[in-house]
Amino acid sequence: MEEIKVFCPATIANVSCGFDVLGVALDNVGDTMVVRKTQEKGIRITKLEGQDLPMETLQNVAGVAGLALLEKSDYRGGFEIEIYKKIKAGSGIGSSAASSTGAVWAMNELLDKPFTTLELVKFSMEGERLASGVAHADNVAPALFGGFTLVRSYDPLDIVPIHTPSELHATVIHPQIEVKTSDSRKILKTNITLADGIKQWGNVGGLVAGLFTEDYDLIGRSLEDHIVEPIRSILIPGFDQVKSEALKAGALGCGISGSGPSIFAFSKGIDTANKVAKAMKEVYKNIGIDYDVHVSKINSEGIKTIQ
């Protein structure tokens, strides 16, 4: 196989209480990439449509992640990459992760899978380092593993796939403003109180337990963030109202997707998820801010080959 076309899913990171450790892949939102082998060494971005992003290899997250893989590979040729962006940069649903993971997953397939999924996460994290200044894995891990993932440890890297309840659906609304991950990290506190830490650890444990046992009420009770959301929500117009209306419409819980400005909600069943989408849209219609809305089941597969 000399060429491959892949779907690279959008992702929700942090999932309220799990800053930098929890993430989940979406099913019907994502980018498309075409990757092909070349005789020429190195990596070239030959086409980039949908977003105004750099095509220079060292300034593009797909290029940087791909080079990290090539450095550890015995392959003596190179790759060309075409990127068709459907995920807007700075939207908070893993735009950079989709490009980073799509590149390394496709390259690994073309090389007959010499690397494990965990190793692909490590390569993809270099793309995230370029995008945000921090090599975090909470977006790239679910994109590669599918479903929910927990980053149990960064040193050494340890990723734990988490069971996805069958009726769980996500609603994501993206107000048409941009919040850069690097900027949203700068405003965060570097120290927390023990009391806030205890609340947060309890919610992370509760959320993981709720997912494994398919206890939707426990999932909802655990979708609370006492540390990051109170600070980052200031950057998102209408956040408190969107969250309130989503919960009134039946959402299990609601929070900031990644670094924002997208806001996610989880619901039991597609009908409730659609009601939540309608409630979220009304808020931004009244405020006068344009938006995109996605309603999606959870993607248990992650990146996949498409025709």
Side-chain angles (χ1 to χ4, degrees):
M1 187 165 55
E2 299 297 312
E3 179 178 297
I4 191 171
K5 185 177 183 180
V6 297
F7 170 79
C8 317
T11 47
I12 296 169
N14 302 334
V15 196
S16 291
C17 52
F19 179 71
D20 272 8
V21 298
L22 284 175
V24 61
L26 300 178
D27 191 58
N28 58 3
V29 191
D31 295 342
T32 301
M33 298 177 71
V34 177
V35 180
R36 65 181 63 89
K37 288 180 177 179
T38 63
Q39 298 277 325
E40 182 182 350
K41 291 183 179 180
I43 292 176
R44 292 173 57 233
I45 313 294
T46 57
K47 186 179 289 187
L48 203 165
E49 295 183 358
Q51 291 287 289
D52 184 17
L53 295 168
M55 292 180 65
E56 295 84 357
T57 302
L58 291 177
Q59 295 180 39
N60 186 287
V61 296
V64 169
L67 287 174
L69 182 150
L70 268 184
E71 186 178 334
K72 298 294 184 179
S73 170
D74 295 331
Y75 180 54
R76 293 296 170 244
F79 293 92
E80 291 180 348
I81 301 175
E82 299 176 9
I83 306 172
Y84 302 90
K85 297 294 293 180
K86 298 290 181 63
I87 309 171
K88 294 183 179 179
S91 61
I93 52 173
S95 179
S96 58
S99 295
S100 299
T101 56
V104 300
W105 191 90
M107 289 166 61
N108 195 50
E109 291 289 307
L110 293 174
L111 297 176
D112 200 22
K113 302 181 182 179
F115 298 107
T116 66
T117 306
L118 187 65
E119 288 172 317
L120 296 183
V121 170
K122 293 178 182 178
F123 301 143
S124 302
M125 287 169 65
E126 293 307 311
E128 294 292 70
R129 190 193 304 277
L130 174 65
S132 68
V134 177
H136 58 96
D138 50 344
N139 285 105
V140 297
L144 287 162
F145 280 91
F148 283 87
T149 55
L150 168 70
V151 184
R152 192 207 62 81
S153 167
Y154 275 92
D155 186 19
L157 187 65
D158 187 3
I159 308 294
V160 182
I162 299 171
H163 174 73
T164 298
S166 58
E167 294 186 74
L168 195 66
H169 286 71
T171 304
V172 181
I173 189 162
H174 173 213
Q176 298 299 288
I177 60 172
E178 181 178 349
V179 176
K180 292 184 177 179
T181 303
S182 54
D183 292 338
S184 68
R185 280 183 173 273
K186 291 176 184 176
I187 65 171
L188 296 179
K189 298 176 182 177
T190 56
N191 296 292
I192 62 171
T193 66
L194 182 59
D196 281 342
I198 291 169
K199 289 179 185 176
Q200 203 83 340
W201 302 326
N203 282 323
V204 171
L207 180 55
V208 172
L211 291 169
F212 272 111
T213 60
E214 302 205 6
D215 185 333
Y216 292 91
D217 289 337
L218 178 57
I219 291 169
R221 296 199 306 274
S222 302
L223 288 170
E224 292 187 5
D225 177 8
H226 299 280
I227 296 171
V228 177
E229 184 178 297
I231 300 171
R232 282 184 168 172
S233 61
I234 298 169
L235 302 176
I236 306 173
F239 173 79
D240 290 335
Q241 191 177 356
V242 168
K243 183 173 183 176
S244 175
E245 293 302 315
L247 295 174
K248 287 180 186 176
L252 299 169
C254 183
I256 300 171
S257 179
S259 59
S262 286
I263 304 168
F264 81 93
F266 288 147
S267 300
K268 183 180 180 181
I270 185 67
D271 291 342
T272 302
N274 283 323
K275 290 176 185 176
V276 170
K278 183 178 180 181
M280 288 174 152
K281 289 191 286 187
E282 285 300 316
V283 174
Y284 282 118
K285 281 181 183 176
N286 293 334
I287 293 176
I289 295 177
D290 290 335
Y291 56 84
D292 290 329
V293 173
H294 309 288
V295 177
S296 174
K297 65 179 183 178
I298 305 305
N299 176 351
S300 60
E301 187 179 1
I303 299 170
K304 60 184 178 183
T305 305
I306 56 176
Q307 299 299 318

CSV table of all heavy atoms in Angstrom, one decimal, residues 2 27 64 69 87 96 103 119 121-122 141 143 145 156 202 230 234 247 255-256 271:
chain,number,residue,atom,x,y,z
A,2,GLU,N,0.6,2.1,-1.0
A,2,GLU,CA,1.5,3.3,-1.1
A,2,GLU,C,0.7,4.6,-0.7
A,2,GLU,O,1.4,5.6,-0.5
A,2,GLU,CB,1.9,3.5,-2.6
A,2,GLU,CG,2.7,2.3,-3.1
A,2,GLU,CD,4.0,2.2,-2.4
A,2,GLU,OE1,4.7,3.2,-2.3
A,2,GLU,OE2,4.4,1.1,-2.0
A,27,ASP,N,-17.9,11.0,16.8
A,27,ASP,CA,-18.1,10.1,15.7
A,27,ASP,C,-18.3,10.7,14.4
A,27,ASP,O,-17.8,10.2,13.4
A,27,ASP,CB,-19.3,9.2,16.0
A,27,ASP,CG,-19.5,8.1,15.1
A,27,ASP,OD1,-18.5,7.3,15.0
A,27,ASP,OD2,-20.5,7.9,14.4
A,64,VAL,N,5.4,17.9,12.2
A,64,VAL,CA,6.2,17.7,13.4
A,64,VAL,C,6.0,16.3,14.0
A,64,VAL,O,6.9,15.6,14.4
A,64,VAL,CB,5.9,18.8,14.4
A,64,VAL,CG1,6.6,18.4,15.8
A,64,VAL,CG2,6.5,20.1,13.9
A,69,LEU,N,7.9,10.3,14.3
A,69,LEU,CA,7.8,8.9,13.9
A,69,LEU,C,8.9,8.5,13.0
A,69,LEU,O,9.5,7.5,13.2
A,69,LEU,CB,6.4,8.6,13.2
A,69,LEU,CG,6.1,7.2,12.8
A,69,LEU,CD1,4.6,6.9,12.9
A,69,LEU,CD2,6.6,6.9,11.4
A,87,ILE,N,-12.3,20.6,11.2
A,87,ILE,CA,-12.3,21.1,12.5
A,87,ILE,C,-11.6,22.5,12.6
A,87,ILE,O,-10.4,22.5,12.2
A,87,ILE,CB,-11.6,20.1,13.5
A,87,ILE,CG1,-12.1,18.7,13.3
A,87,ILE,CG2,-11.7,20.6,14.9
A,87,ILE,CD1,-11.3,17.7,14.0
A,96,SER,N,-5.8,20.4,16.3
A,96,SER,CA,-4.3,20.0,16.2
A,96,SER,C,-4.1,18.5,16.4
A,96,SER,O,-3.3,17.9,15.8
A,96,SER,CB,-3.5,20.8,17.1
A,96,SER,OG,-3.8,20.6,18.5
A,103,ALA,N,-1.7,12.0,10.8
A,103,ALA,CA,-0.5,11.8,10.1
A,103,ALA,C,0.2,10.5,10.6
A,103,ALA,O,0.7,9.7,9.8
A,103,ALA,CB,0.4,13.0,10.3
A,119,GLU,N,2.9,4.2,21.3
A,119,GLU,CA,4.0,5.0,20.7
A,119,GLU,C,3.5,6.0,19.7
A,119,GLU,O,4.0,7.1,19.7
A,119,GLU,CB,4.9,4.0,19.9
A,119,GLU,CG,5.7,3.1,20.8
A,119,GLU,CD,6.4,2.0,20.1
A,119,GLU,OE1,5.8,1.4,19.2
A,119,GLU,OE2,7.6,1.8,20.4
A,121,VAL,N,0.8,7.7,20.2
A,121,VAL,CA,0.4,8.8,21.1
A,121,VAL,C,1.6,9.7,21.4
A,121,VAL,O,1.5,11.0,21.3
A,121,VAL,CB,-0.2,8.3,22.4
A,121,VAL,CG1,-0.4,9.4,23.4
A,121,VAL,CG2,-1.5,7.6,22.2
A,122,LYS,N,2.7,9.1,21.7
A,122,LYS,CA,4.0,9.9,22.0
A,122,LYS,C,4.4,10.8,20.8
A,122,LYS,O,4.7,11.9,21.0
A,122,LYS,CB,5.1,8.9,22.4
A,122,LYS,CG,4.9,8.2,23.7
A,122,LYS,CD,6.0,7.2,24.0
A,122,LYS,CE,5.8,6.5,25.2
A,122,LYS,NZ,6.9,5.5,25.5
A,141,ALA,N,-4.9,10.9,22.6
A,141,ALA,CA,-5.2,9.5,23.1
A,141,ALA,C,-6.5,9.0,22.6
A,141,ALA,O,-6.6,7.9,22.0
A,141,ALA,CB,-5.0,9.4,24.6
A,143,ALA,N,-8.3,10.1,20.1
A,143,ALA,CA,-8.4,10.0,18.7
A,143,ALA,C,-7.7,8.7,18.2
A,143,ALA,O,-8.2,8.2,17.2
A,143,ALA,CB,-7.6,11.2,18.1
A,145,PHE,N,-7.0,5.8,20.2
A,145,PHE,CA,-7.6,4.6,20.8
A,145,PHE,C,-9.1,4.5,20.6
A,145,PHE,O,-9.7,3.4,20.6
A,145,PHE,CB,-7.4,4.6,22.4
A,145,PHE,CG,-6.0,4.2,22.8
A,145,PHE,CD1,-5.0,5.1,22.9
A,145,PHE,CD2,-5.7,2.8,23.1
A,145,PHE,CE1,-3.7,4.7,23.4
A,145,PHE,CE2,-4.5,2.4,23.5
A,145,PHE,CZ,-3.5,3.4,23.6
A,156,PRO,N,6.1,7.3,33.4
A,156,PRO,CA,6.0,7.0,32.0
A,156,PRO,C,4.6,7.1,31.5
A,156,PRO,O,3.6,7.1,32.3
A,156,PRO,CB,6.4,5.5,32.0
A,156,PRO,CG,6.0,5.0,33.3
A,156,PRO,CD,6.2,6.1,34.3
A,202,GLY,N,-12.3,13.2,43.5
A,202,GLY,CA,-13.6,12.5,43.7
A,202,GLY,C,-14.4,12.4,42.4
A,202,GLY,O,-15.0,11.4,42.1
A,230,PRO,N,-14.0,27.5,36.3
A,230,PRO,CA,-14.3,28.9,36.8
A,230,PRO,C,-13.4,30.0,36.2
A,230,PRO,O,-13.8,31.1,36.1
A,230,PRO,CB,-14.0,28.7,38.3
A,230,PRO,CG,-14.2,27.3,38.6
A,230,PRO,CD,-13.7,26.6,37.4
A,234,ILE,N,-14.6,32.5,31.8
A,234,ILE,CA,-14.6,33.9,31.7
A,234,ILE,C,-14.4,34.3,30.2
A,234,ILE,O,-14.9,35.4,29.7
A,234,ILE,CB,-13.6,34.6,32.6
A,234,ILE,CG1,-13.9,34.3,34.1
A,234,ILE,CG2,-13.5,36.1,32.4
A,234,ILE,CD1,-12.9,34.7,35.0
A,247,LEU,N,-28.6,21.9,30.9
A,247,LEU,CA,-29.1,21.1,32.0
A,247,LEU,C,-30.6,21.1,32.1
A,247,LEU,O,-31.2,20.0,32.4
A,247,LEU,CB,-28.4,21.5,33.3
A,247,LEU,CG,-26.9,21.4,33.4
A,247,LEU,CD1,-26.4,22.1,34.7
A,247,LEU,CD2,-26.5,19.9,33.3
A,255,GLY,N,-19.9,21.2,30.2
A,255,GLY,CA,-18.6,21.9,30.5
A,255,GLY,C,-17.9,22.4,29.3
A,255,GLY,O,-18.4,22.4,28.2
A,256,ILE,N,-16.7,22.9,29.5
A,256,ILE,CA,-15.9,23.5,28.4
A,256,ILE,C,-15.2,22.3,27.7
A,256,ILE,O,-14.6,21.4,28.4
A,256,ILE,CB,-14.8,24.4,29.0
A,256,ILE,CG1,-15.5,25.6,29.7
A,256,ILE,CG2,-13.9,25.0,27.9
A,256,ILE,CD1,-14.6,26.5,30.5
A,271,ASP,N,-32.3,11.7,21.3
A,271,ASP,CA,-33.4,12.7,21.4
A,271,ASP,C,-33.1,13.8,22.4
A,271,ASP,O,-33.3,15.0,22.1
A,271,ASP,CB,-34.7,12.0,21.8
A,271,ASP,CG,-35.3,11.1,20.7
A,271,ASP,OD1,-34.8,11.3,19.6
A,271,ASP,OD2,-36.1,10.2,21.0
